[in-house]
């Protein structure tokens, strides 16, 4: 109950079912007549209707006495509860006149509240319920009193509330403590000045856990000294008092240490006890509170052990993610302690959620050292092996994404610690034919370049497993490695023979006989099962009819024994054919240098030339999606043939072909390593140090918040992180950017809305100000939406006094990432002239950026999604920005996306291509490809296209509109 000067500012804390309003609300006379009935059901229905009508702005002054006369002394429990709801919304004070309100608004004396005379009878009824012999009635009334804020009503009830503290039933006692707490917090000095002492005596004798917890909550907020004294006397029994009591103790710890850090030592003992609590919430809160209180290795180690225990015992993905976030923060300052628990952290890889596994690997990889790298790699290899087991295995459900994460983690370990490279590379090469083959071959390519000593063994393993590779991209990288790094006669011969054997003889086109055989096999498979019916003799000598469904067993694999490499070339893979030609050319050029005789070299050259001719013929016959593929193939293969046949061309191009590719790749790895080192340098542990000229902070002269260097126990940091506000300084500006003016200053009713977007929910807080000297009744804000939005809570009708204001709320559900509009009108009725009016409101444009979050993915995943998604929006580039990198940065920042394509900002070219990726809060993927060119013949202006792809049409169109509005380089105006 609010202590408002206007009865219409009352509110109800419960939601009533709509059955009371079915068919329209009855009139005041009908409700009054129904309340006189002897049937409790009729009374309940009438009282519900009265509550709904009063919440809608109807005064209904006659109903108060009817409720006092016919409902207040009823023994019907639902009717008693409805009476409590009625006391919440009923006007308890006399309405001020217009003259009093105008005098108060013009600087005169404030309006004095006058309690209605009928409230004396209500107080008497409330006191009767407080003294009722039924404990449920007493407890319900005590709970209701926790919502009453009026001193005039609470005053006469204080003796009865105190008497309930000694009631025999715990339900009454625990609610009585809350009632005392509520009364003391609002009117402590005037109503119940001895509240803390009274509760202090109560908690010393109380045995019920809920009542004890409520009593401690009262002492914690109203008398901290008494709470600390009780805690000191019962330190050994805190674990027996329940989870709710333990959480309050942790709150008291943070509050006390925030005010006086010297209190830390008093609470450390109880914190260590709570670390082993059976409740996950208590142990988690105790762990991070202990870390905030103390930086000693013992405290940090105990908290870290608690975190890892929670990580491995909890099944809730949200809990696991929160614990991993805490471990990541702990890693920044106490990495050495976490290194001891690294293997316990890796146990969380058993989670079926790939996001959890990714977070575990992110935390664990930063803790790998030369001491534990062997154990870590063994664990990762075991996890990779699990992904190849039968589909019933739990890790198989995570799919190739999890396998790729594991391979990347092993790759990182091998790069940082060369000693383990040899032990992992052979294991991973067994997965070249699996879904994660691309990740494996990229890892092998880097290892071959960085560790020359491992090349012979790796190349031998690669040659023996190349026949198992069925992916075109993986095969391309395998052939490039063999062409670049086969530097001995044995490896060159083995690799050349294996590749030519896999390719077979030219031509590389589908022969007529093979085509007929395949068509015949496909026709046989399409025929399906045959039904055969025959008579059989049963065991007892009788005859029976037996129907058998026979299906032809065709093993397509046994029919087609073509090697994978030849199958891909014959299938029309022109780019792979070019790679094969380049690889064979390099081997033929390197053959004389590694000691292969001239006859063998000449035979290799002839074979290579025949294969090249077959590849060009295949390119001419193949139906390619890109017309330039044939021309590119002819040009590149012609170059290879000329190098092998023309001695002058061979002398000129041989150094380039044999060494430039390797050198470029080595430079790429070097740049990548330097970038990683630079990022690592930036993310080094922050060393807190004090300088001689630093300011001295006097806590007594500062506010009650803790200073940053001493202790960080402020829950506000967690709240800011949860709501998305990184710092408090931008809080006000962020809120103001979400305020929309709905009507003009000259309108009879001024309206503005504050919009809060939280994932699937949009909350509108609409401020209404009556700018007329008359009372406006039945004022309703009628809202409508356009787009995938649905209004789930519409504003009720209200009556607003002259020059008065109120705030109403509306809730909207969003189902997809799509630009939407909210529009509506205000309808009202002038109480003095009985004239109706309406005001059209300005539209609220919901920005798609409220739902877009930056995200990352691998190039392979991006390409697969790009090929899968069907909705595409193509936006032509038209901008005043003239620098390529600047334009890309502008698009990335304006669309809240992540750029997946690395760029060297020092290089200045005339063309730029980049892939951008983001995810919506609804899990929808947004893919953007930027292709922009700086044309010299167009005054240096940028031209090109931005292509957006998504699985749904809404996000593609909305993101396209956003890019169109921001690409010119000007900040978009707020709608």
């Amino acid at each position: 109950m609010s202590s408002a000067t206007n009865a219409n500012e009352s509110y109800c804390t419960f939601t009533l079912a709509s059955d009371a309003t079915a068919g329209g609300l009855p009139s005041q006379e009908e409700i009054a007549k129904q309340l006189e009935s002897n049937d409790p059901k009729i009374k309940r229905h009438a009282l519900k209707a009265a509550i709904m009508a009063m919440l809608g702005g109807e005064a209904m002054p006659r109903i108060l006495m009817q409720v006092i006369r016919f409902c207040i002394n009823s023994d019907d429990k639902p009717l008693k509860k409805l009476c409590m709801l009625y006391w919440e919304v009923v006007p308890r004070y006399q309405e001020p006149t217009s003259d009093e309100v105008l005098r108060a608004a013009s600087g005169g004396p404030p309006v004095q509240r006058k309690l209605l005379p009928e409230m004396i009878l209500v107080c008497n009824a409330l006191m009767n319920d407080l003294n009722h012999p039924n404990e449920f009635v007493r407890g319900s009334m005590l709970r209701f009193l926790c919502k009453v804020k009026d001193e005039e009503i609470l005053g006469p009830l204080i003796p009865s509330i105190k008497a309930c503290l000694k009631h025999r039933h715990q339900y009454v006692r625990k609610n009585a403590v809350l009632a005392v707490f509520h009364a003391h917090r609002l009117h402590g000095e005037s109503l119940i000045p001895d509240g803390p002492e009274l509760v202090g005596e109560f908690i010393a004798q109380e045995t019920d856990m809920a009542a004890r917890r409520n009593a401690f909550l009262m002492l914690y907020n109203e008398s901290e000294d008494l709470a600390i004294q009780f805690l000191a006397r019962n330190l050994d029994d805190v674990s027996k008092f329940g989870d709710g009591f333990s959480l309050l103790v942790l709150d008291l710890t943070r509050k006390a240490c925030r005010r006086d850090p010297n209190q830390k030592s008093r609470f450390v003992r109880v914190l260590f006890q709570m670390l082993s609590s059976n409740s996950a919430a208590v142990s988690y809160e105790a762990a991070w509170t202990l870390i905030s209180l103390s930086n000693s290795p013992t405290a940090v180690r105990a908290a870290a052990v608690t975190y890892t225990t929670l990580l491995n015992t909890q099944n809730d993905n949200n809990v696991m993610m929160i614990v991993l976030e805490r471990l990541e923060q702990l890693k920044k300052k106490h990495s050495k302690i976490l290194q001891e628990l690294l293997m316990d952290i890796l146990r969380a890889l058993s989670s079926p959620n790939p996001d959890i596994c990714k977070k575990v690997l992110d935390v664990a990889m930063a803790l790998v050292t030369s001491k534990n790298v062997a154990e870590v790699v063994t664990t990762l290899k075991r996890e990779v092996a699990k992904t190849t087991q039968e589909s019933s295995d739990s890790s198989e459900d995570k799919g190739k994404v999890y396998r790729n994460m594991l391979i990347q983690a092993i790759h990182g370990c091998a790069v940082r610690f060369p000693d383990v490279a040899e032990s992992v590379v052979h294991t991973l090469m067994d997965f070249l034919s699996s879904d994660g083959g691309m990740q494996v071959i990229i890892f092998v390519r880097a290892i071959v370049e960085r560790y020359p000593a491992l090349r012979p063994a790796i190349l031998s393993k690669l040659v023996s497993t190349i026949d198992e590779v069925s992916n075109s991209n993986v095969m391309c990288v395998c052939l490039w490695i063999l062409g670049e790094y086969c530097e001995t006669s044995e490896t060159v011969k083995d690799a050349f023979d294996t590749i030519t054997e896999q390719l077979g003889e030219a031509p590389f086109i589908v022969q007529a006989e093979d085509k007929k055989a395949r068509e015949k096999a496909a026709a046989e498979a399409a025929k399906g099962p045959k039904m055969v019916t025959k008579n059989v003799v049963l065991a007892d000598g009788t005859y029976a009819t037996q129907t058998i469904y026979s299906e032809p067993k065709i093993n397509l694999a046994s029919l087609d024994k073509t090697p994978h490499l030849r199958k891909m070339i014959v299938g029309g893979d022109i780019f792979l054919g070019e790679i094969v030609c380049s690889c064979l050319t390099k081997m033929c050029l390197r053959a004389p240098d590694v000691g292969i005789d001239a006859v063998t070299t000449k035979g290799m050259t002839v074979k290579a030339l025949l294969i090249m001719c077959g590849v060009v013929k295949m390119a001419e016959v193949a139906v390619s999606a890109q017309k330039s593929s044939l021309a590119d193939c002819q040009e590149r293969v012609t170059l290879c043939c000329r190098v092998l046949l023309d001695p002058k061309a061979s002398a000129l191009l041989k150094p380039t072909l044999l060494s430039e590719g390797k050198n470029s790749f080595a430079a790429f790895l070097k740049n990548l390593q330097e970038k990683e080192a630079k990022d690592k340098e930036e993310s080094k542990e922050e060393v807190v140090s004090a300088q001689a000229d630093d300011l001295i902070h006097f806590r007594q002269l500062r506010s009650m918040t803790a200073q940053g260097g001493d202790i960080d126990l402020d829950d506000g940091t967690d709240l800011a992180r949860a709501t998305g506000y990184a710092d408090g300084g931008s809080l006000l500006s962020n809120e103001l950017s979400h305020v929309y003016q709905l009507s003009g200053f000259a309108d009879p009713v001024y309206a503005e809305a504050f919009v809060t977007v939280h994932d699937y929910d949009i909350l509108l807080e609409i401020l209404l100000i009556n700018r007329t000297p008359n009372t406006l009744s039945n004022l309703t804000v009628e809202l409508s939406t356009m787009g995938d939005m649905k209004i789930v809570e519409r504003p009720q009708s209200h009556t607003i006094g002259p020059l008065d204001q109120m705030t109403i709320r509306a809730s909207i559900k969003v189902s997809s990432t799509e630009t939407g509009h909210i529009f509506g009108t205000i309808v009202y009725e002038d109480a003095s002239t009985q004239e109706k009016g309406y005001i059209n409101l300005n539209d609220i444009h919901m920005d798609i950026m409220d739902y877009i979050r930056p995200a990352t993915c691998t190039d392979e995943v991006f390409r697969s999604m790009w090929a899968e998604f069907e909705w595409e929006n193509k936006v032509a580039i038209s901008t005043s920005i003239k620098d390529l990198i600047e334009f890309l940065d502008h698009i990335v920042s304006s669309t809240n996306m992540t750029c997946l394509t690395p760029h060297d900002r020092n290089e200045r070219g005339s063309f730029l291509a980049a892939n951008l990726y983001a995810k919506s809060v609804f899990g929808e993927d947004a893919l953007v490809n930027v292709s922009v060119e700086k044309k010299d013949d167009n005054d240096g202006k940028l031209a090109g296209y931005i292509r957006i792809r998504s699985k749904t049409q809404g996000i593609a169109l909305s993101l396209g509109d956003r890019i169109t509005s921001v690409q010119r380089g000007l900040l978009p105006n707020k709608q």
Side-chain angles (χ1 to χ4, degrees), residues 630-699:
L630 174 60
D632 181 69
C633 179
Q634 289 175 340
E635 181 180 353
R636 192 167 183 186
V637 174
T638 301
L639 177 64
C640 293
C641 294
R642 188 174 179 183
V643 169
L644 293 178
L645 296 174
D646 188 355
K648 292 183 179 180
S650 176
L652 184 64
L653 296 176
K654 182 177 179 180
T656 302
L657 292 175
L658 295 183
S659 60
E660 284 300 320
K662 250 189 303 191
N663 295 338
S664 299
F665 182 60
F668 167 75
L669 289 180
K670 183 179 179 182
N671 292 336
L672 195 63
Q673 197 168 3
E674 290 176 355
K675 183 182 178 182
E676 292 176 354
K678 184 178 179 182
D679 294 341
K680 186 178 180 181
E681 190 78 18
E682 292 176 355
S683 61
K684 269 190 174 179
E685 296 181 3
E686 299 178 2
V687 180
V688 180
S689 58
Q691 303 296 329
D693 56 348
D694 282 350
L695 295 177
I696 300 176
H697 299 286
F698 293 95
R699 175 169 294 277

Side-chain angles (χ1 to χ4, degrees), residues 554-574:
I554 298 177
N555 189 356
L556 296 179
S558 62
L559 294 177
D560 187 7
K561 296 183 179 179
T562 308
H564 294 299
L565 181 56
R566 181 179 178 85
K567 194 184 300 182
M568 287 185 280
I569 296 293
V570 173
D573 195 332
I574 299 176

